[in-house]
Amino acid sequence: MRAAVLRDGRIAFRDDVPDPAPGPGQVLVAVRSCGICGSDLHFAAHGAEVLSLTDQMSNGIGSGMTVDLGRDVFMGHEFSAEILEAGPGTDTYPAGTLVTSIPLLISGNSVEPIVYSNHTLGGYAERMLLSVPLLLRIPNGLDPRHAALTEPMAVGLHAVNKSGVQPGETALVLGCGPIGIAVVAALRARGVENVVAADFSPKRRELATTMGAHQALDPAQGSPFDTVTPAVVFEAVGVPGIIDDVMRRAGHGTRLVVVGVCMQSDTVHPFFAIAKEINVQFVLAYAVEEFADSLREIAEGGIDVTPIITGDVGLEEVGAAFDDLADPERHCKILVTP
Ligand SMILES: [Zn+2]
């Protein structure tokens, strides 16, 4: 079957990948749509660093994960799919049912993230395996392309849940890439009455407004903290220096939620945070229930993901799409349709 794989830091197209066979508790599915995630771009460019940091860490998600970058790597964790067949002795929805799932594959006693793997297929392939206990049925009538946004939108929902933000509080979202946009959408779905977004890119500011930000500020025109005094700040940029800058400028008692993934070392002055009793919460991914909530929000119209989708490509064009996503003026989320 066809698949797009990571090979030597570039995306390569293959038409000779063997079909996976579902084991007990698994289903073989046909991928209907898979979003390209910023973390996939990052892994393609800096996979060795990601693996080395993961290696240094104990007790975190992915610790113990082994990926050989000298071999093809399968990726794609933001998918919707159609059930083809179940593994031996496995009861599930009938063939043809549209589903999504958190990106984990259960095989016997082991659970593997569907994120970067030499052997477990992800959504950049015609077909892949999913785990029956984790399947969520896509509600009737929801476009499977939209259902593929369940995963990235769940990241925003989780960050907002962790923040404990209340409707009457002002929230500032720094960075309006896909993660920042997911946070903006979740804040609006939560009923937060003053959502302020900031990004250097005019296109991204426009998208933030479309997705519900009440104001979208250009940091080139001055610090967002000159305009607003947020109770909660979401850092969705993920480059060194941002956290320190927030601590320097934010008000007393600010809650800072770090959802942007910065892979470099970063320096902060604890003094700023101490003097203002700033509360810092780092967040990652989502809980199973939040994933289901995300799908429900999208299906019931609480979050309209249409404006986020800025491109559709086939498996042959995934490499070009990875290059295109580098330009914030052109794209937010590109979907792959195998
Ligand atoms: Zn992702």
Side-chain angles (χ1 to χ4, degrees):
M1 66 171 184
R2 296 173 301 119
V5 298
L6 176 65
R7 182 185 295 163
D8 300 326
R10 303 284 304 165
I11 299 297
F13 172 74
R14 282 179 58 178
D15 57 7
D16 60 351
V17 174
D19 261 281
Q26 298 177 339
V27 280
L28 177 70
V29 298
V31 177
R32 292 290 294 264
S33 188
C34 182
I36 298 178
C37 178
S39 67
D40 294 340
L41 304 185
H42 192 273
F43 191 82
H46 308 286
E49 281 167 63
V50 174
L51 293 172
S52 136
L53 286 176
T54 306
D55 238 28
Q56 292 170 38
M57 176 174 68
S58 328
N59 304 317
I61 283 188
S63 55
M65 177 170 82
T66 51
V67 180
D68 178 358
L69 291 175
R71 294 163 52 210
D72 286 356
V73 179
F74 298 110
M75 302 194 293
H77 59 269
E78 306 178 354
F79 44 77
S80 62
E82 178 183 335
I83 292 185
L84 296 176
E85 66 176 78
T90 302
D91 263 350
T92 186
Y93 305 116
T97 306
L98 293 173
V99 294
T100 183
S101 161
I102 62 168
L104 290 176
L105 184 65
I106 305 170
S107 308
N109 290 328
S110 78
V111 180
E112 196 196 4
I114 301 175
V115 56
Y116 320 118
S117 173
N118 296 121
H119 52 90
T120 299
L121 286 153
Y124 303 150
E126 272 183 279
R127 290 177 284 280
M128 65 188 292
L129 300 178
L130 292 176
S131 320
V132 170
L134 302 176
L135 294 179
L136 287 175
R137 196 183 183 128
I138 296 174
N140 243 350
L142 178 63
D143 184 341
R145 290 167 65 252
H146 292 181
L149 272 293
T150 302
E151 201 273 353
M153 300 314 278
V155 172
L157 189 68
H158 176 66
V160 168
N161 284 343
K162 281 281 196 180
S163 77
V165 67
Q166 298 301 309
E169 291 181 315
T170 293
L172 171 63
V173 182
L174 300 174
C176 301
I179 292 178
I181 291 295
V183 171
V184 166
L187 287 166
R188 282 307 303 266
R190 172 64 49 86
V192 175
E193 288 156 22
N194 193 20
V195 178
V196 183
D199 198 291
F200 288 101
S201 154
K203 208 70 215 179
R204 286 182 165 184
R205 290 200 300 276
E206 191 188 315
L207 181 58
T209 308
T210 306
M211 294 304 294
H214 299 93
Q215 264 187 96
L217 304 173
D218 179 2
Q221 305 297 317
S223 167
F225 292 93
D226 296 342
T227 308
V228 284
T229 309
V232 185
V233 179
F234 295 88
E235 196 288 270
V237 180
V239 301
I242 305 273
I243 295 173
D244 197 52
D245 193 60
V246 171
M247 290 173 170
R248 189 191 313 260
R249 296 175 190 274
H252 187 274
T254 300
R255 285 116 71 200
L256 168 59
V257 179
V258 182
V259 61
V261 181
C262 177
M263 299 301 293
Q264 295 104 302
S265 298
D266 195 3
T267 302
V268 297
H269 294 85
F271 177 77
F272 300 140
I274 292 163
K276 303 181 196 180
E277 298 195 306
I278 287 174
N279 205 320
V280 186
Q281 166 81 62
F282 290 84
V283 297
L284 176 75
Y286 37 75
V288 177
E289 305 76 42
E290 290 169 324
F291 193 90
D293 288 346
S294 178
L295 177 60
R296 194 173 323 108
E297 282 285 359
I298 295 169
E300 292 175 359
I303 293 176
D304 177 12
V305 295
T306 317
I308 299 174
I309 302 167
T310 52
D312 285 277
V313 298
L315 283 170
E316 294 82 349
E317 303 148 309
V318 175
F322 267 54
D323 296 338
D324 289 349
L325 280 163
D327 181 357
E329 287 307 303
R330 288 184 60 193
H331 284 293
C332 184
K333 184 62 72 182
I334 296 181
L335 297 177
V336 181
T337 306

